[in-house]
Amino acid sequence: MTFRRALIAFALCSGLSPAALAEEARQVEVGYAITYLAFTGFRIDFTARFNDHRYDVESHTFKEGLIKAVTINYDGKNRAWGGFAAQGARPAGGSLSIVVGDTPRSWIAQYGPGGALKGKSEPPWNPPPDKAIPEDKRNGSLDPLSAAMQVGMAGDAACDRTVASNDGKRRIDVVLTKIGTEPAAAAGVAGARGDLLICSVYTKRVAGDFDDAPKEAESKRERPMKLWFARLDDTSFRYPVKLEAETGFGTIYGKMLFFRERPLTEEEKIAMRR
């Protein structure tokens, strides 16, 4: 698995569950560090607000440290919003803004009945037919952060699913499978409650414009990454807290840096109702 694919899979699985937070209007913040060859490479920060059966979640993925200094610039922001009920999240839309080098790209998605998806890219994306995402593959897919919420809502069943992710140019499946459990003390995760779930995760391309050859990318599935999910609060939600991914040049590690929560202010509650 490459660094970029591991980062995408970890970011996608790091969402926050609206169903788990429905009882109280509050904000949750979680931060992660991704390291490679002992150097910090990426940070992933999440901020989520929940109130009155509405959610608004934002993520920010960016390079830092030596990796930032010696490699091409990368900065990605994802936002997801919608409502929820007893059955789970009801996504209304999502947006994605990415800068690679000096080149920005954005995509905004709106979700309709039956999984219908309408998206708009800036600058406009007009791929050749062999790199387009057909309608039957596009509908039912979600932006990365909205897709991540489907994992978070599953609680103890977080590992047993395939989630359909779409970033406006690439449609992938992220496949999670439970491979075991581990006591929190042995895993070294402060604040975890009970045993951690351990899942294998790999990404499978479905359609779109990919950077590498299909044969090479699909071979990476034989080396899935591992994710550890833990309970950190009084809800049934499981947060990703550790990552390991083998590559041809070393192991990528991910760890949770902080977990914070607080009630929403009255001003924040009013803003979410607008």
Side-chain angles (χ1 to χ4, degrees):
M1 178 174 283
T2 65
F3 195 108
R4 183 177 65 84
R5 287 161 64 83
L7 177 69
I8 291 171
F10 187 60
L12 193 150
C13 295
S14 302
L16 302 171
S17 167
L21 303 168
E23 295 181 359
E24 181 182 358
R26 62 174 177 166
Q27 175 172 296
V28 176
E29 298 176 355
V30 190
Y32 300 93
I34 310 296
T35 61
Y36 181 61
L37 299 178
F39 295 104
T40 299
F42 279 86
R43 274 283 303 275
I44 306 174
D45 292 337
F46 288 88
T47 301
R49 290 178 177 176
F50 304 95
N51 183 44
D52 193 25
H53 299 285
R54 293 182 176 91
Y55 66 85
D56 195 323
V57 187
E58 296 179 276
S59 69
H60 184 198
T61 303
F62 56 96
K63 289 183 178 181
E64 62 178 6
L66 181 63
I67 298 297
K68 178 180 180 179
V70 301
T71 62
I72 190 171
N73 177 52
Y74 179 92
D75 191 279
K77 296 179 180 179
N78 196 181
R79 181 183 169 212
W81 61 91
F84 54 94
Q87 296 79 13
R90 294 180 178 176
S95 65
L96 185 69
S97 175
I98 300 174
V99 178
V100 180
D102 296 323
T103 305
R105 176 174 76 88
S106 64
W107 183 63
I108 186 167
Q110 294 180 312
Y111 307 116
L117 184 156
K118 292 183 179 180
K120 181 179 180 180
S121 295
E122 186 62 43
W125 184 53
N126 299 299
D130 64 324
K131 294 186 176 182
I133 304 175
E135 184 176 358
D136 65 325
K137 304 299 183 184
R138 183 174 64 252
N139 289 340
S141 64
L142 298 168
D143 65 274
L145 192 51
S146 293
M149 296 171 67
Q150 308 303 307
V151 178
M153 287 186 297
D156 289 347
C159 295
D160 301 315
R161 64 198 56 255
T162 297
V163 291
S165 177
N166 189 335
D167 72 354
K169 294 181 69 175
R170 289 170 288 269
R171 181 41 195 96
I172 65 171
D173 282 341
V174 178
V175 183
L176 299 95
T177 304
K178 180 180 177 180
I179 58 175
T181 61
E182 184 177 18
V189 179
R193 305 182 183 187
D195 290 347
L196 279 64
L197 288 177
I198 308 174
C199 311
S200 68
V201 185
Y202 72 81
T203 61
K204 178 181 178 181
R205 64 178 59 195
V206 176
D209 188 2
F210 294 90
D211 298 330
D212 52 357
K215 185 177 295 185
E216 176 187 356
E218 290 303 307
S219 71
K220 302 299 182 182
R221 288 189 294 157
E222 302 303 320
R223 305 172 73 179
M225 61 186 285
K226 292 169 64 177
L227 272 176
W228 283 254
F229 289 87
R231 288 197 184 96
L232 299 173
D233 52 28
D234 294 329
T235 71
S236 62
F237 178 71
R238 285 186 175 269
Y239 298 84
V241 291
K242 287 179 57 179
L243 167 150
E244 287 185 10
E246 298 292 336
T247 74
F249 301 96
T251 303
I252 299 167
Y253 295 98
K255 66 176 182 179
M256 185 180 69
L257 297 175
F258 60 83
F259 172 84
R260 300 190 288 256
E261 58 181 334
R262 64 167 175 82
L264 292 183
T265 66
E266 289 303 317
E267 291 78 7
E268 290 168 337
K269 292 178 184 179
I270 293 171
M272 284 197 66
R273 297 190 187 106
R274 293 172 182 166

